[in-house]
Amino acid sequence: MVHSFNTHCVHVEKKQKWYATQSVTLRFNTVGSGRPHRPLLKSEMLSQEDPKSRPMLELREKLQPEVTELIKRQRLNHLCEGTCFRKISARRRQDKFWYCRLSPNHKVLHYGDIEEFSQGQISHDSLQEKVTVADIKAVVTGKDCPHMREKGALKNKELLELAFSILHNSDEYLNFIAPDKHEFCIWTDGLNALLGKEMTSELTKSDMDTLVTMELKLRLLDLENIQIPDVPPPVPKEPSTYDFVYDFTQQHT
């Protein structure tokens, strides 16, 4: 009896391992339709076996401007919501706060000191200081920031990775210490976008790759079960006359 039970347990364990292995290899459309596994379509072969093929690279390149604009809008929307930053001095660290946000028309940066850390939005009227976007000359980061040139600041690697400054009115700086790396990427990307410059943060590169890959997969879904020819179809002959038009004003019964 014990031997029979142990044999049954071993059989069940083998079955579970087999199902676990097979479930990884099952394709989405096979699970959804219940049909047996079929050969890969040409569109799937392009995306899975040869992602660096010329058609895929051309499609990626075509999608990038659209995705870049989407990322840009997200960055600027975040700047419009605003962020609470910490003030860091040589004597006292992280004891005071200030808030900065972009105006809805993307023309002015409003900022000012606040009493305590805030996760909610601070109204523009509560922020007394401002910098016109048209007056911004450059955005600098890390050791190029004026507040990172202070004694001891360059030795703090964490602060260097989160520091950025806005140069405006030729010789004035607005200095930032981002609360984390994510906010650093969002703000530097958004400020560069305002200046018409390229967004070069690690977050943008990651978002670009993720969104373009998702868009590629969505577009390739439209090619499911469509026979893709190896050569382009012939161009049809021109019509004998171009004198045709559909009158949408006519009522049909």
Side-chain angles (χ1 to χ4, degrees):
M1 181 72 175
V2 174
H3 174 73
S4 176
F5 177 76
N6 290 337
T7 303
H8 175 71
C9 289
V10 171
H11 178 71
V12 170
E13 184 179 357
K14 288 182 178 179
K15 272 287 187 182
Q16 289 175 340
K17 290 182 178 179
W18 183 86
Y19 279 120
T21 304
Q22 292 299 312
S23 63
V24 175
T25 59
L26 281 174
R27 297 184 53 74
F28 172 80
N29 49 11
T30 302
V31 175
S33 63
R35 295 192 298 271
H37 184 70
R38 55 168 174 75
L40 290 175
L41 297 173
K42 290 185 179 180
S43 60
E44 296 168 326
M45 291 175 66
L46 281 175
S47 61
Q48 295 186 12
E49 295 182 4
D50 194 10
K52 294 185 179 180
S53 64
R54 190 179 70 174
M56 289 296 292
L57 293 176
E58 289 179 353
L59 184 54
R60 274 185 168 274
E61 185 177 353
K62 183 179 180 181
L63 292 174
Q64 283 181 356
E66 179 182 344
V67 174
T68 299
E69 186 62 28
L70 178 64
I71 295 174
K72 176 182 175 181
R73 289 201 304 269
Q74 187 274 334
R75 302 295 193 259
L76 294 179
N77 287 340
H78 188 91
L79 266 61
C80 289
E81 293 174 0
T83 301
C84 182
F85 296 94
R86 296 181 184 272
K87 283 188 173 182
I88 297 181
S89 61
R91 295 183 179 181
R92 303 174 63 185
R93 293 187 71 247
Q94 301 182 352
D95 53 348
K96 294 183 178 181
F97 305 94
W98 65 290
Y99 199 89
C100 185
R101 64 182 300 188
L102 180 66
S103 63
N105 61 6
H106 301 169
K107 292 184 177 181
V108 179
L109 279 173
H110 297 267
Y111 66 97
D113 294 339
I114 56 177
E115 294 296 329
E116 57 184 12
F117 182 81
S118 174
Q119 293 183 340
Q121 290 187 11
I122 305 295
S123 66
H124 294 95
D125 295 336
S126 302
L127 305 173
Q128 302 300 321
E129 306 292 335
K130 65 181 180 179
V131 173
T132 304
V133 172
D135 293 333
I136 298 177
K137 307 302 179 184
V139 178
V140 295
T141 61
K143 62 182 181 180
D144 295 326
C145 299
H147 56 317
M148 290 294 102
R149 298 171 188 165
E150 299 176 1
K151 185 178 179 180
L154 291 175
K155 297 180 181 180
N156 193 326
K157 185 178 179 181
E158 180 183 357
L159 289 184
L160 281 174
E161 293 180 347
L162 301 177
F164 62 98
S165 300
I166 295 174
L167 170 62
H168 60 99
N169 294 328
S170 300
D171 57 353
E172 296 182 27
Y173 284 90
L174 182 61
N175 300 318
F176 298 76
I177 297 291
D180 51 50
K181 191 65 175 179
H182 182 269
E183 286 291 329
F184 173 85
C185 292
I186 292 287
W187 271 85
T188 53
D189 282 341
L191 292 171
N192 281 323
L194 286 174
L195 299 180
K197 297 183 178 180
E198 185 179 0
M199 299 179 292
T200 58
S201 74
E202 297 174 1
L203 182 62
T204 289
K205 294 176 183 177
S206 175
D207 288 348
M208 175 69 71
D209 182 67
T210 300
L211 293 173
V212 169
T213 300
M214 289 176 59
E215 185 66 20
L216 278 173
K217 291 182 178 180
L218 289 173
R219 297 201 178 193
L220 289 175
L221 283 176
D222 295 335
L223 301 178
E224 287 287 344
N225 300 319
I226 296 178
Q227 185 65 34
I228 303 177
D230 295 323
V231 295
V235 179
K237 295 181 179 180
E238 294 187 9
S240 57
T241 176
Y242 288 93
D243 187 18
F244 53 84
V245 66
Y246 184 84
D247 189 356
F248 289 94
T249 61
Q250 292 183 358
Q251 295 183 356
H252 299 277
T253 58

